[in-house]
Amino acid sequence: MSSETKTTPVQNWVLNAKEGVMALPRTIIDPLCPTRFTREAEPIRAAILSRAEFIERSKAEQDFRYKQIIPYIVLQHARKFLLIRRTPKQGETRLHDKFSLGIGGHINTIDKAEGDILETGMRRELNEEIKVHREEACRLVGVINDDTKEVDRVHLGLVYLLTCKTPGFTNREPEAYTALWQTPDEIAAVLEQMESWAKIVYEEIIRNKPA
């Protein structure tokens, strides 16, 4: 293969993989992220880009040797965060009626390898659910590797913090969830009704974030 046509590992995933979801073996994840949350996200990110696989989603949900990669985007404006409540019409039945602090979903083979496939997948998931009217910055701030719940045992969360310049946004799936800007104190009041990842984000990022 000539240098002009040589593909990167990420491009090979997209060219060769059957339709599926991106996943990484636990044998790679656990040494890099031995606790439920780490701010040291770059080693995990690099491992995903070099060693992740695409697996049929129905199989991945039952295979505890792997964790599916989920971008989890937390929206912030000033000192408020977007608190989401999932309705029974939302796809993941294990999260119905739970409060959340993140927009997220799987990285699929449709996320073309043009640039950063994780960024592409993250943006696609965000834009499918919420349109941010004016964005200031978005950065990867941590990784969730938690096994507390059944749903967590097969998912790895890449936590992005997206800062909005204005509070304006459009909920593109109003049948699936409601969304409202809330202060850390208001979020704390519903902590026990939150999904597990939202609790981790609150404890690790929001509660200790400087004003």
Side-chain angles (χ1 to χ4, degrees), residues 78-132:
R79 271 299 284 161
K80 291 187 176 182
F81 298 83
L82 200 64
L83 183 66
I84 297 156
R85 188 166 194 176
R86 305 182 190 277
T87 74
K89 292 186 178 181
Q90 188 265 349
E92 177 53 78
T93 57
R94 292 170 291 190
L95 299 178
H96 286 175
D97 292 321
K98 293 283 188 180
F99 284 99
S100 176
L101 288 166
I103 299 293
H106 295 83
I107 303 289
N108 300 121
T109 51
I110 62 171
D111 297 315
K112 304 298 184 181
E114 298 174 359
D116 188 326
I117 195 170
L118 297 178
E119 176 79 13
T120 300
M122 180 270 288
R123 289 290 175 179
R124 175 182 54 77
E125 285 292 340
L126 176 65
N127 293 332
E128 286 174 357
E129 298 189 31
I130 280 186
K131 178 183 178 181
V132 175

Side-chain angles (χ1 to χ4, degrees), residues 27-180:
T27 53
I28 298 171
I29 294 169
D30 291 343
L32 296 174
C33 187
T35 57
R36 68 174 189 163
F37 180 82
T38 180
R39 293 181 182 273
E40 300 298 322
E42 187 53 38
I44 286 283
R45 181 180 176 278
I48 293 169
L49 291 175
S50 63
R51 302 182 69 178
E53 306 169 33
F54 279 99
I55 301 174
E56 185 179 334
R57 182 173 179 180
S58 61
K59 294 180 180 178
E61 289 289 342
Q62 305 299 322
D63 192 340
F64 297 113
R65 296 173 300 170
Y66 291 84
K67 283 204 167 190
Q68 300 160 64
I69 309 304
I70 307 292
Y72 191 77
I73 309 106
V74 179
L75 276 67
Q76 175 184 7
H77 171 65
R79 271 299 284 161
K80 291 187 176 182
F81 298 83
L82 200 64
L83 183 66
I84 297 156
R85 188 166 194 176
R86 305 182 190 277
T87 74
K89 292 186 178 181
Q90 188 265 349
E92 177 53 78
T93 57
R94 292 170 291 190
L95 299 178
H96 286 175
D97 292 321
K98 293 283 188 180
F99 284 99
S100 176
L101 288 166
I103 299 293
H106 295 83
I107 303 289
N108 300 121
T109 51
I110 62 171
D111 297 315
K112 304 298 184 181
E114 298 174 359
D116 188 326
I117 195 170
L118 297 178
E119 176 79 13
T120 300
M122 180 270 288
R123 289 290 175 179
R124 175 182 54 77
E125 285 292 340
L126 176 65
N127 293 332
E128 286 174 357
E129 298 189 31
I130 280 186
K131 178 183 178 181
V132 175
H133 292 182
R134 293 188 66 192
E135 179 180 331
E136 183 175 331
C138 183
R139 59 192 180 93
L140 180 61
V141 296
V143 179
I144 296 173
N145 181 27
D146 186 47
D147 291 334
T148 304
K149 305 292 184 183
E150 180 184 356
V151 67
D152 300 331
R153 293 179 62 194
V154 290
H155 295 97
L156 183 78
L158 300 183
V159 182
Y160 292 83
L161 183 63
L162 190 154
T163 304
C164 302
K165 286 187 176 180
T166 68
F169 68 90
T170 300
N171 181 349
R172 287 179 161 161
E173 295 187 353
E175 74 287 350
Y177 64 89
T178 60
L180 184 68

